[in-house]
Each structure stands twice: as structure tokens, then as C-alpha cells.
Amino acid sequence: MKTRRDFLTQAPLGLLGAMVAGSALAQTGENPATGTPPPGSPGAFDTAPPVGPKLSTATFVEAEKLAQVSMTETQREMAVANWPTSMAALLERRTGPRKVALEDGLAPATTWFPAMGRAHVGPAHDRFVPSKVAATSLPAKDEDIAFASVAQLGTWIRARKLTSSRLTKIYLERLKRFDPQLRCVITLCEEHALAQAAQADKEIAAGHYRGPLHGIPWGAKDLLDTAGIATTYGAEPFRHRVPKDDGAVTRKLNEAGAVLVAKLSLGALALNDIWFGGQTMNPWLLQEGASGSSAGPASATAAGLVAFAIGSETQGSIISPCMRCGTTGLRPTYGRVPRTGAMTLCWTMDKLGPIARSVEDTLLVLNAIRGTDPGDSASVAAHLDYDAAAPIKGLKVGYFPGWMKDASATDLDRAALDQLRALGLVPTEVSLPDWPYDDLNLLLFAEAAAAFEELTLSGAADQMRTQTPDAWPNLFREARFLSAVDFVQADRLRRKVAKEMERVMAEVDLLLVPSLRDEMMVISNMSGQPSLTLRTGFVEVSQVRSDWAPDPKHPLPKLAKPHRVPYGVTLIGRLFDEGTLGRVGRALEAKAAVAGERPVGF
């Protein structure tokens, strides 16, 4: 096997290569006649064969603008002479000649662990004690059955007042009837669902009851692999992709006896609410999108088309559509739920979590899907401690005074703080340093561009429906020019920010924040904190809302008259302390008394 030094001394090189090789020979004391270095000579930087395109000092002048650095003309001249032999070869993995494919599912060598080396984080033991559901009669109307909670549906099924087959047919009929309005379904799994429901009924009749999700129909954000059923990522290049195996969460829900009725829409490659079939709409206001990227799960759940759904969040993709559609979303601690067999956007930020119509339903689902999987190196076997009857009086709820006063908050955010005080919690002011938290998004863009490198470099991203400046195709291309040095520095800043969150969460038991506050959306997703978003009231809007950057050529439509839509708040918890979020969230849900209202027409 030829060494780099062999190549330099034997291969015919251009003038630049000859100059560099000559310099290397002089430095190492090689015998010019034989090209053999003295024994024990080490390798050296800047001895690679020159590769890559021809450069000039003007190349670096322009590149400096992107990186926001500056060099002198002398430094640029050195870089021009040196780059082909020092840095360009580091791209061989993708430019060749020795190309190496990085297969889907291959994670980076480095893994983010929110505990940052602490041995014991979260509850000391497992405990899962949900509330007791009152024995009620089965409603006469299918619509009322469809909007019942997971807990209530499970009680009826276990008591054999309702079969899974009947419930599944109710949801399948509603999915067919309302999807033309909402565009929330990518693949209807009718045959698969009816077979699963029949099996659930058979098992329950035989006395084999698997638990509260047995026989319960659910919908999957279409980035969860389902064996033999298309998983499209909502994006044109993947619309015919059919996985051979179930993802870890799909498998766990199968084991719990749940019934998959539909693969639900997501904004293409998990961004916003537009996919290859159109825009998914908000059942509370059909003129506007459902927000994203868990658009289908939030829209379908809000409209009573599934009992619950699984969404995902990298930065806001559970919180935002739950706010828009008035559903309840639980974003688990990073690592709590295994992501094997789920589309990767960002290895160190992606999280899978439940979307439902009540707080306790999200805990029932979380209990079924948590745990480890060998395919996800970040997954951890942390305890879950949830006791619905445990007291919440005396718990400290942190809040940021400035955030509660500015435009990111409404009277409903402030009212929620008062409601928690009335429930016996102790509102406590907290603060974070005034740092440029958005700088952490360098990590998001770099990881996402890496996850979809082949899509970008092959040109397949050009097939995607949305090609605006703020859509993934453009952002993936731009991210190629981010600095690797700045990536490392952003990663260091991430640890610094996570330490600040560790300090804040040591002062309180949980936080109450305006749900869409940019800083906390970035911070808590980067640090890995769990969150719970729940409806606490309603507001009026006079204009359609959108996740997309404003486009002066296509202004958002104004409404003929103000429209009443749901609004919610978000609770942020300590790492792996979803149980406290559930207890407090359930009490706040009862206090606000608005969770049961349904969108008109559904």
C-alpha cells in the first residue's frame, strides 16, 4: 500500500505539488535520490498530494465574508498555496477517489447526554399510578366516543363495553371524512388497523389485557418506520419508501396492543406544515396551517380522528402545532424515548413524544414508549415517577418576569401563573444570562445538513415542493459553508448553557414559560429538558398565522372578523422528571377547565 510520502515522491505532480513535496523532503531529510526518509521519521501535515479546484486570493476574500473572519493578503497567498495539500484532501470521503458511504441510521461517534456526567439524574425509582377513571356509560354518538380520552376509552374496552374493532372503524370513518379538509393523512392503514383491532379484541376476550393502550387506535407522524407500510418523511424523494422493519416506538406500541390507523403528515423532512400532498390545516381555523412539523398528529388529534398520536421535536415541532391546534404535547427528556427507526434530522436534538387531548393521556403513552434500544446510543433507562394523586402544594414554579411582561406572553400566560399559585405552588423568579442563544442553531443546521447530505449533493432536494429561502433545500446548501471550528465552539457553548439550566432547575421544580418564546425553545431543546404544552384558554386572531418567514409578495390573509382559537402554556421540567410535569399539568388542566371543548364541525 502506497503511503502519502510514496505518492508525493513518485507520482507526477503539478508545479504546486512539486514545490510542496520539495519543501517536505528538505524538512524531513529524505534522500532525494531514493525518496526514502531516515528511519523513525514522523509524518507531517501539509504533505498530501494537491487536490481540489484552482484557488486564488479572491476565493478567500469571498469565503472570509461567510465565516466573518479576516486575513491579510500575505496570509491569503499562503492559504492559496497550502490549501490543496493541507485541507482539500480532508474531503476525500465524499469527493473521492476513496468515497465512503455513510448509511442511514449511522450516528456520530459523539453523543449528547443531558446529565453531563452526573451518575444519578431524575427519579430514584419507577412508579406509575394514573388517576382512576369513573365508570361511565358508553355514549350513544360515535363523535362523543371519538373525542373521549385514552384513559376513558381504555376503561370501556377493558370492561368490554366497547370493542377495539368498533372504535377503530369510528376513527377510520372520521379520517376518511375529514382528511379532505385537513390534509393530515399520508397513508391510511385500514386493513392493517382492522387486523390489529380484531387481534386486540380476541386477546381481551380471552382475558389477556395488555394495559391502557390495548385496542386504542393511534396515528404516527410519518417519520416512524412501519414494516411494509410507507414511511415518506412528507418529502417527494421519499414518497415511495417502504421500510422492512418497525421502528422502536412502533414496536413498543404494537407490544402495548395499540392499533395503528394512519401515518400522519409532517412538514417535509420535519419542517413546518407543508408536505408533498399540500398543507395540513388547523381544525379550529381551516384557513391556516396546523403548524409543524408534527402537523398531522396535532391536527388529527384535535379533530378527534385518532385517540392519540406520536410526534417528534427537534426545536418546537411538538410545542408549536399543539399550541396552534389546542392539543396536549409531551416532549420527553432527550434520551427518554428510543429513536431507532425514526427519521434523523439532528442526532443530538431529536425527541419522540405523545400528542393527545389530555395531560394524563400523554403520560399513559410515554410509559409505553420509554426505554432503551440498541439502535439508539442516546437512549437511557431512566426511571419514570408519576403518581396522579401525589400532592403538588409547595412545589416551586419558576418564571422569567421579563418574558411574562413582553409581547411573547398573553394574559393567559399570566393567568396560568396565578392559577398555579392558587393550586398551592410557589411562583419563583428565575433568570438566565443575556447570551446569543440562537448561535446554538449552528449545531441544528450542521447536523440536519449532514443527515441529508446525499439528498442535497445529488440534487434530489430540488424535487421538494417548497423551495423558499427558509425551507430545508436552501438551508442544507447554505449549511455546507458553516465553519467546523464554529461548530465545536457552539458545542462548547451548549454545555455552558446546559450548566445554566442545571443551575436554574436546582432552584425550582419546574418552569412556566410562554410556549413559543424563542430563547427557551432553543435552550430547552439543546439542554434536553422535558416540556408539557397544554391548552389553558382561547384568544382571538384577526390574521392567519404561519410558520414561514414573511413574504411581502404573498401576505398572510386577514380574517373578515376575529376568530376564537385555543391557546396554551408550556411547563419545562427537570431532566427525566416528566412525572412532576404530569401532576402539575393535570391540576392546571382541571383549573383552566377548557380541555374538553371541541373544534366546530368535527
Side-chain angles (χ1 to χ4, degrees):
M1 178 177 178
K2 287 186 177 291
T3 66
R4 180 176 292 173
R5 191 179 300 276
D6 291 333
F7 189 97
L8 281 167
T9 56
Q10 297 172 23
L13 303 176
L15 177 60
L16 175 61
M19 290 172 59
V20 173
S23 171
L25 291 173
Q27 293 174 21
T28 59
E30 284 186 359
N31 184 326
T34 65
T36 303
S41 297
F45 291 134
D46 195 24
T47 58
V51 295
K54 183 178 180 180
L55 305 176
S56 69
T57 56
T59 306
F60 283 88
V61 169
E62 296 305 311
E64 288 167 38
K65 296 175 184 177
L66 293 179
Q68 298 184 45
V69 297
S70 61
M71 295 192 291
T72 67
E73 187 64 17
T74 300
Q75 290 167 343
R76 292 184 192 115
E77 289 172 354
M78 180 182 290
V80 167
N82 179 253
W83 184 275
T85 58
S86 63
M87 298 294 175
L90 303 180
L91 304 180
E92 183 181 2
R93 190 270 312 162
R94 69 173 174 86
T95 62
R98 295 176 299 177
K99 294 185 179 181
V100 178
L102 302 178
E103 61 272 16
D104 291 344
L106 180 67
T110 52
T111 302
W112 169 247
F113 291 107
M116 295 184 293
R118 287 172 290 159
H120 302 289
V121 175
H125 57 268
D126 268 320
R127 176 175 54 171
F128 195 81
V129 186
S131 61
K132 294 182 179 180
V133 180
T136 59
S137 300
L138 189 69
K141 295 182 178 179
D142 286 353
E143 173 187 325
D144 294 331
I145 295 173
F147 276 97
S149 69
V150 171
Q152 182 65 76
L153 292 171
T155 300
W156 288 329
I157 286 176
R158 186 175 189 179
R160 300 174 68 181
K161 295 180 180 179
L162 175 67
T163 65
S164 176
S165 294
R166 181 186 171 193
L167 181 60
T168 298
K169 290 174 182 177
I170 289 173
Y171 282 128
L172 287 170
E173 187 277 327
R174 291 179 64 80
L175 285 160
K176 294 175 186 176
R177 179 160 36 120
F178 293 116
D179 183 58
Q181 294 173 263
L182 299 176
R183 292 188 291 278
C184 61
V185 179
I186 294 183
T187 302
L188 190 69
C189 308
E190 184 167 13
E191 184 177 343
H192 173 86
L194 291 173
Q196 282 193 320
Q199 180 63 27
D201 288 336
K202 182 179 179 180
E203 290 177 357
I204 293 167
H208 177 44
Y209 182 66
R210 299 189 184 208
L213 302 186
H214 202 174
I216 304 294
W218 67 287
K221 185 174 181 177
D222 201 28
L223 50 60
L224 287 180
D225 277 357
T226 43
I229 300 172
T231 300
T232 72
Y233 306 162
E236 289 83 348
F238 299 97
R239 65 186 304 170
H240 301 299
R241 177 182 176 275
V242 180
K244 295 180 180 179
D245 301 307
D246 285 324
V249 165
T250 306
R251 186 172 63 252
K252 284 176 177 289
L253 289 172
N254 287 341
E255 291 167 356
V259 175
L260 176 65
V261 290
K263 302 298 293 296
L264 301 173
S265 62
L266 66 158
L269 303 183
L271 180 68
N272 299 350
D273 50 22
I274 295 177
W275 56 290
F276 60 76
Q279 185 176 29
T280 299
M281 310 310 287
N282 176 10
W284 293 88
L285 178 56
L286 289 171
Q287 295 97 313
E288 72 178 3
S291 190
S293 66
S294 301
S299 179
T301 302
L305 311 188
V306 291
F308 70 91
I310 299 296
S312 72
E313 173 153 328
T314 304
Q315 193 179 115
S317 290
I318 287 176
I319 291 177
S320 190
C322 284
M323 281 289 289
R324 185 76 56 84
C325 298
T327 49
T328 304
L330 178 58
R331 181 191 75 201
T333 304
Y334 175 81
R336 165 74 83 181
V337 176
R339 303 161 302 173
T340 310
M343 186 200 88
T344 296
L345 184 66
C346 295
W347 289 274
T348 69
M349 286 161 259
D350 293 348
K351 297 160 288 289
L352 302 174
I355 293 176
R357 290 183 292 273
S358 73
V359 170
E360 190 160 84
D361 283 357
T362 65
L363 271 296
L364 291 171
V365 178
L366 178 65
N367 194 40
I369 64 176
R370 67 187 175 103
T372 61
D373 186 88
D376 183 356
S377 61
S379 60
V380 295
H383 295 300
L384 175 62
D385 184 2
Y386 173 66
D387 183 349
I392 60 172
K393 185 176 181 179
L395 293 178
K396 291 183 178 181
V397 54
Y399 70 99
F400 297 87
W403 296 2
M404 285 295 185
K405 296 175 183 177
D406 67 21
S408 67
T410 70
D411 287 342
L412 286 174
D413 292 286
R414 294 180 279 274
L417 192 61
D418 290 336
Q419 289 168 333
L420 291 176
R421 180 185 287 110
L423 289 167
L425 280 79
V426 181
T428 305
E429 293 187 8
V430 294
S431 64
L432 283 166
D434 185 17
W435 292 344
Y437 295 105
D438 278 354
D439 277 16
L440 295 174
N441 283 332
L442 189 154
L443 302 172
L444 185 154
F445 292 131
E447 287 194 37
F452 288 101
E453 177 181 73
E454 179 60 27
L455 186 79
T456 302
L457 299 183
S458 69
D462 298 345
Q463 302 171 23
M464 292 173 63
R465 177 189 182 108
T466 306
Q467 296 287 335
T468 58
D470 56 326
W472 279 139
N474 178 60
L475 295 174
F476 290 163
R477 289 189 293 267
E478 290 183 342
R480 304 296 315 194
F481 300 96
L482 292 171
S483 159
V485 175
D486 287 326
F487 179 92
V488 175
Q489 299 299 63
D491 208 27
R492 296 174 71 200
L493 177 61
R494 181 182 195 171
R495 184 172 295 274
K496 191 176 178 72
V497 170
K499 285 289 187 183
E500 282 297 312
M501 276 299 285
E502 183 180 61
R503 174 189 59 78
V504 169
M505 299 311 296
E507 299 171 3
V508 296
D509 296 288
L510 71 164
L511 299 173
L512 170 69
V513 299
S515 293
L516 302 178
R517 183 78 192 195
D518 283 344
E519 295 96 324
M520 187 50 66
M521 197 80 79
V522 174
I523 292 167
S524 61
N525 273 290
M526 291 288 177
S527 66
Q529 315 293 144
S531 74
L532 177 68
T533 300
L534 66 151
R535 189 197 314 174
T536 56
F538 293 85
V539 296
E540 290 191 338
V541 295
S542 299
Q543 185 175 9
V544 166
R545 299 162 294 178
S546 173
D547 295 22
W548 299 96
D551 180 359
K553 296 180 181 179
H554 302 92
L556 294 171
K558 295 187 181 297
L559 302 174
K561 60 180 181 179
H563 194 92
R564 182 173 175 268
V565 292
Y567 186 89
V569 298
T570 293
L571 305 175
I572 306 288
R574 292 174 171 169
L575 296 174
F576 301 105
D577 193 17
E578 293 88 351
T580 296
L581 291 182
R583 289 188 291 131
V584 175
R586 187 167 171 270
L588 181 58
E589 177 181 72
K591 187 77 172 175
V594 295
E597 188 167 338
R598 308 172 189 172
V600 176
F602 293 91

